[in-house]
């Protein structure tokens, strides 16, 4: 199935396909936990299972690579960081077979997950669900490596941190499944990260649009592209806890997740680099050229601020930390003698809610609340349903707590 086409190609599918389950790193974090996951699969019989590497493993692999180089947009990097998923697939398959389920262990190549060749952050183009479907039809339970794909010419790729959520939804779409359950280590999607703010409350039904903003602003409970794909393909996306019986959170299409609320959630991202480029009087150093240079490298820029002064143009912008060295490298090559400064000691705090569309003064209230707590705002970004502020990293937990108290706790 081509994920960019509008046609759902699931003609090969002769009978309805059940849900796809995805288990994250903590859920797969030890042999005991993997046995527990196998018990869940034995009881609930998903059509296919997608897994992440065991908790900490991807970090370990990335640290090994970093000891040698910071260059990550190369095939050998992806081959390294995606290897943790192979171990997880194998262990879960062994645990399933022990319980009488015949597993069909698959890496991305066998599972037909085709991507582009943007190493370290490849995008899924298509899922050829034939092999998965054949395994299901022959009574096996496919156990598939998340976070990885394969290019048209057979090279292994990886999808970027947290990408196995996206693998699961793309695979669900590719085999014609109607539901994808993301099993993780919290009960569902909360009004903010429950590990930072104990007052956070679970959101039983969250609108796709709000979830997209929450994910893009740093709520790592779901990878952003998984939410986009689920919305596009009409797949019921549910987040549940591997370690509890809680009903979890469901993504819905309705207008607002919580009636009458202005702000539904607070998101924090500690994965930001703040880059300052310029000033420069070089006529080529303008908005269009600078950001085209970055876009050509597939670098996603978040907050952008242009200052025009006597000394020429100056830009402040933020990128994901993983893209920081690539950003400075590409700008240095394109614009000779450019002054570049990087600050990684920053984080982004955002409030999200469809209710903002119809309420004025939300930004003012957010800025006042941060100011009263001596939290300096460095840069600001807004959309119709979110306001994000770049702040110093040391203040992030406090910012989450005070904004949650200001906008979310009291509105319950
Ligand atoms: P997995 O390994 O299962 O993919 P992740 O660590 O990627 O799990 O995502 C789950 C984590 O997301 C939670 O442990 C929690 O700390 C964090 N998180 C951040 N924001 C939220 C939120 N709004 N709701 C729930 N969890 C959140
Ligand atoms: N194992 C990968 C990571 O740690 C993918 C994922 O967990 O979704 O980023
Ligand atoms: Mg995750």
């Amino acid at each position: 199935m081509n994920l960019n086409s509008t046609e759902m190609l699931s003609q090969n599918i002769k009978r309805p396909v059940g849900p796809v389950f995805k288990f994250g790193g903590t859920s797969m974090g030890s042999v005991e936990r993997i046995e527990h996951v196998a018990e869940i699969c034995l009881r609930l019989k998903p059509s296919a299972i997608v897994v992440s590497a065991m908790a900490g493993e991807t970090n370990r692999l990335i640290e090994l690579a970093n000891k040698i180089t910071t260059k990550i947009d190369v095939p050998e990097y992806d081959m390294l960081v995606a290897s943790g998923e192979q171990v997880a697939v194998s262990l879960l398959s062994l645990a399933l077979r022990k319980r009488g389920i015949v597993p069909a262990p698959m890496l991305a190549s066998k599972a037909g997950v085709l991507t582009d060749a943007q190493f370290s952050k490849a995008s899924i183009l298509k899922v050829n669900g034939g092999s998965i479907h054949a395994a299901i039809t022959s009574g096996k339970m496919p156990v598939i490596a998340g976070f990885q794909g394969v290019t048209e010419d057979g090279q292994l790729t990886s999808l970027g941190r947290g990408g196995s959520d996206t693998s699961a939804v793309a695979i669900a779409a590719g085999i014609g499944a109607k539901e994808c359950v993301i099993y993780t280590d919290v009960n569902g999607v909360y009004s903010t990260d429950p590990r930072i703010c104990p007052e956070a409350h679970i959101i039983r039904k969250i609108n796709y649009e709000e979830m997209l903003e929450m994910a893009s602003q740093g709520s790592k409970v779901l990878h952003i592209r998984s939410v986009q794909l689920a919305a596009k393909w009409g797949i019921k996306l549910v987040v549940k806890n591997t370690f509890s019986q809680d009903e979890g959170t469901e993504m819905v299409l309705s207008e607002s997740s919580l009636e009458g609320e202005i702000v539904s959630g607070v998101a924090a991202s500690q994965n930001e680099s703040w880059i300052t480029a310029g000033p420069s009087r070089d006529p080529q150093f303008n908005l269009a050229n600078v950001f085209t240079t970055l876009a050509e490298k597939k670098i996603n820029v978040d907050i952008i601020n242009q200052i025009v002064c006597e000394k020429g143009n100056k830009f402040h912008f933020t990128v994901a930390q993983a893209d920081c060295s690539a950003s400075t490298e590409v700008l240095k090559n394109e614009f000779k003698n450019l002054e570049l400064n990087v600050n990684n000691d920053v984080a982004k705090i955002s409030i999200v809610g469809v209710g903002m569309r119809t309420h004025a003064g939300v930004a003012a209230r957010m800025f006042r609340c941060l100011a009263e707590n001596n939290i300096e705002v460095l840069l600001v970004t807004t959309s119709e349903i979110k306001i994000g502020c770049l702040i110093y990293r040391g203040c992030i937990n406090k910012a989450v707590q005070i904004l949650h108290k200001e906008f979310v706790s009291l509105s319950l």
Side-chain angles (χ1 to χ4, degrees):
M1 192 205 60
N2 189 334
L3 294 175
N4 294 320
S5 81
T6 48
E7 199 191 349
M8 187 81 157
L9 293 180
S10 40
Q11 303 99 319
N12 296 338
I13 297 160
K14 301 192 176 61
R15 56 189 155 114
V17 178
V20 171
F21 285 3
K22 177 255 166 176
F23 294 92
T26 318
S27 310
M28 300 291 293
S30 64
V31 167
E32 293 70 30
R33 288 183 175 189
I34 291 173
E35 300 255 24
H36 174 69
V37 165
E39 285 296 323
I40 295 177
C41 297
L42 177 65
R43 187 160 41 88
L44 301 176
K45 308 229 162 24
S47 276
I49 310 165
V50 174
V51 294
S52 296
M54 295 170 81
E57 180 60 7
T58 311
N59 287 346
R60 187 185 74 84
L61 296 167
I62 290 174
E63 276 162 26
L64 288 177
N66 286 345
K67 284 186 183 157
I68 297 174
T69 175
T70 55
K71 187 145 185 68
I72 62 171
D73 54 350
V74 284
E76 54 272 27
Y77 177 84
D78 291 38
M79 195 169 281
L80 172 72
V81 300
S83 64
E85 271 67 14
Q86 179 167 345
V87 174
V89 163
S90 315
L91 290 172
L92 180 57
S93 298
L94 289 169
L96 288 171
R97 199 180 289 276
K98 190 169 87 174
R99 286 166 175 79
I101 297 177
V102 183
M106 296 186 192
L107 299 182
S109 47
K110 174 78 174 166
V113 182
L114 291 184
T115 69
D116 61 20
Q118 284 285 338
F119 296 107
S120 79
K121 53 172 169 182
S123 300
I124 300 178
L125 303 173
K126 199 174 173 187
V127 175
N128 291 327
S131 297
I132 305 176
H133 200 254
I136 299 172
T137 312
S138 64
K140 294 180 182 158
M141 195 175 278
V143 184
I144 306 160
F147 182 53
Q148 51 174 254
V150 70
T151 60
E152 212 64 76
D153 59 359
Q155 185 65 52
L156 186 84
T157 56
S158 70
L159 308 182
R161 297 310 304 270
S164 53
D165 299 333
T166 298
S167 309
V169 176
I171 287 166
I175 62 170
K178 303 224 163 359
E179 186 178 349
C180 181
V181 186
I182 306 289
Y183 278 94
T184 185
D185 56 0
V186 285
N187 281 349
V189 179
Y190 282 72
S191 50
T192 193
D193 189 338
R195 299 194 194 283
I196 300 182
C197 181
E199 286 78 39
H201 61 84
I202 191 161
I203 304 175
R204 290 290 171 205
K205 290 187 187 300
I206 186 164
N207 169 280
Y208 277 98
E209 226 182 327
E210 286 172 322
M211 191 59 235
L212 270 179
E213 288 285 14
M214 292 278 281
S216 75
Q217 297 309 302
S219 287
K220 68 169 185 160
V221 63
L222 284 176
H223 193 239
I224 179 164
R225 197 145 153 71
S226 69
V227 185
Q228 285 166 338
L229 286 181
K232 178 170 174 182
W233 290 104
I235 289 167
K236 181 175 163 190
L237 188 58
V238 181
V239 179
K240 282 192 179 176
N241 193 339
T242 308
F243 309 104
S244 83
Q245 299 292 325
D246 195 277
E247 68 193 74
T249 296
E250 188 187 328
M251 252 43 57
V252 291
L253 288 168
S254 70
E255 188 36 35
S256 175
S257 15
L258 287 170
E259 223 82 12
E261 279 204 16
I262 303 172
V263 174
S264 319
V266 177
S269 163
Q270 310 214 26
N271 165 35
E272 308 285 323
S273 285
W274 172 19
I275 300 179
T276 311
S280 164
R281 285 213 189 84
D282 175 357
Q284 294 304 313
F285 186 70
N286 56 40
L287 260 179
N289 289 343
V290 168
F291 292 99
T292 304
T293 305
L294 295 167
E296 279 166 355
K297 280 274 164 190
K298 214 180 160 192
I299 294 169
N300 225 334
V301 179
D302 182 19
I303 309 179
I304 300 177
N305 185 345
Q306 177 181 21
I307 297 167
V308 184
C309 61
E310 269 175 32
K311 290 182 182 163
N313 281 343
K314 186 171 181 175
F315 299 105
H316 289 280
F317 60 93
T318 60
V319 295
Q321 266 175 25
D323 285 332
C324 184
S325 357
S327 308
T328 50
E329 193 183 315
V330 77
L331 289 177
K332 260 186 216 151
N333 290 342
E334 187 72 20
F335 306 98
K336 300 295 164 226
N337 305 320
L338 180 65
E339 195 182 323
L340 283 165
N341 286 300
V342 172
N343 190 338
N344 283 323
D345 191 27
V346 290
K348 190 173 55 173
I349 178 80
S350 308
I351 54 175
V352 174
V354 290
M356 273 185 221
R357 283 203 178 108
T358 46
H359 286 80
V362 184
R365 198 168 139 205
M366 178 180 186
F367 300 149
R368 179 162 308 280
C369 184
L370 292 171
E372 281 170 0
N373 286 278
N374 301 317
I375 298 174
E376 189 183 348
V377 174
L378 307 166
L379 292 172
V380 177
T381 173
T382 62
S383 80
E384 240 192 327
I385 67 162
K386 77 133 198 262
I387 304 162
C389 297
L390 195 74
I391 60 175
Y392 286 112
R393 184 193 290 257
C395 308
I396 192 70
N397 287 0
K398 184 175 174 195
V400 168
Q401 285 152 6
I402 57 160
L403 290 175
H404 190 269
K405 190 163 177 213
E406 172 74 17
F407 288 101
V408 188
S409 304
L410 294 180
S411 62
L412 272 183

